[in-house]
Amino acid sequence: MTTIDIGINETNRIKIADGLKALLADSYTLYLQTHNFHWNVTGPQFRELHLMFEEQYTELATAVDDIAERIRTLDVAAPGTYKEFAKLSSIKEVDGVPEASEMIDLLTKGHEQVVRTSREVLKLAQDAEDESTAALVSDRMRIHEKTSWMLRATRK
């Protein structure tokens, strides 16, 4: 096996990867929650929310792959089980099937949490001059900020 030498020392690679693991767990939990709500939403906004949630979980499916692959690029194993995600995630799972308005509120909070987690990882990446992780995380922040705005706008 070869040694990784991408200009980021091992300590920083591990710190960044650990932050990305938390981001992956938050993103995957949000993905599952969004997919669940897509399947189970009802009410007068059914069609609008059903389609919006589908767009969101589809985007998140790509995101979790990108985040996991960045962790692997840093030569660290990516978490990949519900048990690991539950331990690492700041987003808690929801019991039962909430009303559509509560789904919107929960997803808004979930996207905002992903933004906060991203900010923590971004700081680690910037401090280590890891532009690749910084670019990925910055893009994630922008997407989640916009998605939370769109969700909030449906509640006005």
Side-chain angles (χ1 to χ4, degrees):
M1 184 165 150
T2 60
T3 303
I4 184 172
D5 184 10
I6 59 172
I8 305 169
N9 70 45
E10 182 178 11
T11 301
N12 285 336
R13 278 190 304 102
I14 291 170
K15 283 181 188 175
I16 293 165
D18 286 346
L20 287 168
K21 287 178 184 181
L23 181 58
L24 177 61
D26 282 356
S27 299
Y28 200 87
T29 303
L30 185 58
Y31 162 81
L32 288 173
Q33 192 174 80
T34 306
H35 212 152
N36 174 26
F37 293 171
H38 164 78
W39 289 326
N40 291 300
V41 68
T42 59
Q45 289 184 290
F46 167 77
R47 181 164 172 71
E48 174 190 354
L49 294 177
H50 183 75
L51 294 173
M52 181 176 15
F53 295 164
E54 182 175 14
E55 289 172 4
Q56 292 171 3
Y57 79 70
T58 300
E59 193 284 325
L60 281 161
T62 301
V64 296
D65 194 53
D66 290 343
I67 296 165
E69 288 179 357
R70 182 63 193 158
I71 294 167
R72 292 300 301 135
T73 301
L74 294 171
D75 202 35
V76 175
T81 65
Y82 293 126
K83 184 178 180 179
E84 289 176 289
F85 290 148
K87 188 170 69 170
L88 292 167
S89 182
S90 304
I91 299 171
K92 300 305 172 206
E93 292 189 48
V94 176
D95 292 326
V97 178
E99 295 294 320
S101 60
E102 188 179 352
M103 289 178 179
I104 295 166
D105 293 344
L106 289 164
L107 291 177
T108 301
K109 289 176 185 172
H111 283 278
E112 290 172 347
Q113 178 58 54
V114 173
V115 171
R116 291 190 302 274
T117 301
S118 295
R119 287 188 189 287
E120 294 172 14
V121 181
L122 182 61
K123 177 79 169 111
L124 294 170
Q126 289 171 333
D127 289 348
E129 298 179 356
D130 177 0
E131 294 300 322
S132 297
T133 298
L136 171 67
V137 173
S138 180
D139 287 346
R140 297 303 322 146
M141 286 173 56
R142 181 181 45 78
I143 290 165
H144 291 286
E145 287 171 347
K146 183 175 181 179
T147 302
S148 61
W149 160 59
M150 290 185 170
L151 287 163
R152 282 191 309 274
T154 65
R155 295 283 282 144
K156 301 276 181 194

